[in-house]
Amino acid sequence: MVSVSADPELRRLYRERRLIPFIGAGFSRPLGLPLWNELVEEAARQLGFEPDLFALHGGNEQLLGYLKLQEGIEGLVAWMRERFHSKAADEARANSVQHRSLAALTEIRTIYTTNYEHHIERALEDAERKTVVRVSFADFSKPLPDDAVEVVKFHGDLETAGKGGRSLVLTEADYFDRLALESPCDQRLRADLLGNAFLFMGYRFDDRNTRYIWHRMHQMAQAHGEKLRHHSYYVTFEVGEVQRALLRRWGIKVVELDLRDPSSSISDFLSSLGAEA
C-alpha cells in the first residue's frame, strides 16, 4: 500500500485548529451500515411493494417521499435506528482504524457530517473526548466546554429526530428545502467558512447534494468579492483530471488515497495531520 501524507498546508491548518472535517456516509462503510438502496427496499416492504418493482418508480429520495406521504416516515426511522445503532455496528466502530484516527485528532474542535447515525460522536467518546451535537436552533445555544468537540449533523440526527423523522433530510422535498441553506446548520457553515478549511471524506463525485454544498460555499465567498481564505480538501480514491478540474474551480484540492486498502489509507492520512513538518 502506498501511504499518502498530509501536505504542509494541511498540517499547519490542523495545528492552528482551522481544519474542519466534513464526513459522509462512505466514512462509515466499514461498520456495515445500510446503504441507500436498503432504505428504499425497507420502504417498499412497509408499503407492500416488491422492492425491485418499487425502485422503478423514481429516485431514492422520491420513493422515500412517497412512503412519507402514504404511511408516514416513523416506521422507517425506527428501522434505521435499529440497524444504524445495532450492537454489531457499535462493535465494528470500536475496531475501525479510521474512526479511531479521527477521534485521535486532538486539534479538531468541529466536525460536520451528513450522516444520520451516532458513530462519529461515539468514536470521540470512546477516546474519552466530550461531544456536543448540533442540529437545531436550541442545540446551537448550548455552551461548549473548552475540551469538547462540536458535531454538526448537517442532515439531521437519528437520536433526536423526533416524531415524523423531523430534522432528517431523507425525501426529495427535504433536500429541496435545504437548497436555500438557511437552517441553523447552514448559518454556522457560513461563519465557519470565513477562516477555516474543510476536509471532505466519504463522499462520491456524483453526490449532487454535496456538490451543491460545494457550489454554495463558493458562491458565499464570491458574494463577498473575494476568494476563500483557505482551500477545502476532498479525500477520495482514483480520481481523473476531469473531476480535479471541476473541483478546482470551487477551490477544492484533491487528496487521492490508495484504493487497495481504503481504511488503512484513510487512517494513515489522518494520523499524518499531526506529524511534525
Side-chain angles (χ1 to χ4, degrees), residues 38-245:
E38 294 176 77
L39 269 64
V40 173
E41 288 172 0
E42 175 60 22
R45 284 188 285 269
Q46 293 186 13
L47 287 162
F49 275 82
E50 183 67 32
D52 289 344
L53 294 177
F54 186 57
L56 300 176
H57 288 275
N60 291 335
E61 296 92 347
Q62 292 173 318
L63 296 173
L64 295 184
Y66 180 74
L67 171 68
K68 187 173 185 178
L69 181 66
Q70 297 298 115
E71 300 288 340
I73 208 79
E74 290 88 348
L76 180 65
V77 172
W79 179 87
M80 289 171 66
R81 286 195 183 105
E82 181 180 342
R83 293 290 305 277
F84 280 88
H85 297 164
S86 67
K87 181 179 179 181
D90 285 336
E91 291 174 349
R93 183 194 66 246
N95 295 315
S96 170
V97 293
Q98 58 202 55
H99 281 79
R100 291 201 301 269
S101 296
L102 178 67
L105 295 175
T106 56
E107 301 305 320
I108 295 295
R109 286 294 178 265
T110 301
I111 297 174
Y112 282 71
T113 180
T114 49
N115 295 356
Y116 312 115
E117 30 84 1
H118 63 201
H119 293 293
I120 291 174
E121 49 266 44
R122 290 293 184 271
L124 291 162
E125 292 162 6
D126 290 344
E128 300 184 347
R129 300 185 67 186
K130 297 177 183 177
T131 62
V132 175
V133 174
R134 310 288 202 194
V135 183
S136 66
F137 184 87
D139 292 333
F140 282 97
S141 68
K142 296 176 183 176
L144 181 70
D146 289 341
D147 56 348
V149 182
E150 290 180 288
V151 181
V152 181
K153 306 296 280 287
F154 208 68
H155 282 174
D157 178 30
L158 272 173
E159 292 198 339
T160 60
K163 185 177 180 180
R166 189 173 59 252
S167 89
L168 296 183
V169 179
L170 281 168
T171 71
E172 183 177 61
D174 295 333
Y175 281 100
F176 286 164
D177 289 343
R178 290 305 309 273
L179 294 182
L181 293 184
E182 295 293 344
S183 76
C185 289
D186 302 319
Q187 299 296 331
R188 175 58 186 274
L189 175 63
R190 283 185 168 91
D192 282 337
L193 273 171
L194 294 177
N196 302 284
F198 285 82
L199 182 68
F200 290 90
M201 296 182 288
Y203 293 101
R204 305 186 315 271
F205 286 125
D206 59 352
D207 186 329
R208 71 178 187 277
N209 301 299
T210 307
R211 295 183 78 87
Y212 183 76
I213 292 171
W214 293 340
H215 173 67
R216 288 290 288 136
M217 289 170 69
H218 185 63
Q219 280 188 323
M220 289 175 197
Q222 287 187 319
H224 294 282
E226 59 188 40
K227 294 182 179 180
L228 291 175
R229 182 173 179 181
H230 301 297
H231 285 281
S232 287
Y233 293 80
Y234 177 45
V235 177
T236 187
F237 305 92
E238 293 188 330
V239 59
E241 181 52 35
V242 171
Q243 291 296 337
R244 286 182 184 275

Side-chain angles (χ1 to χ4, degrees), residues 255-275:
V255 178
E256 187 172 1
L257 302 184
D258 194 335
L259 184 60
R260 290 173 293 181
D261 190 349
S263 290
S264 294
S265 187
I266 291 172
S267 176
D268 290 348
F269 170 74
L270 291 174
S271 298
S272 74
L273 289 169

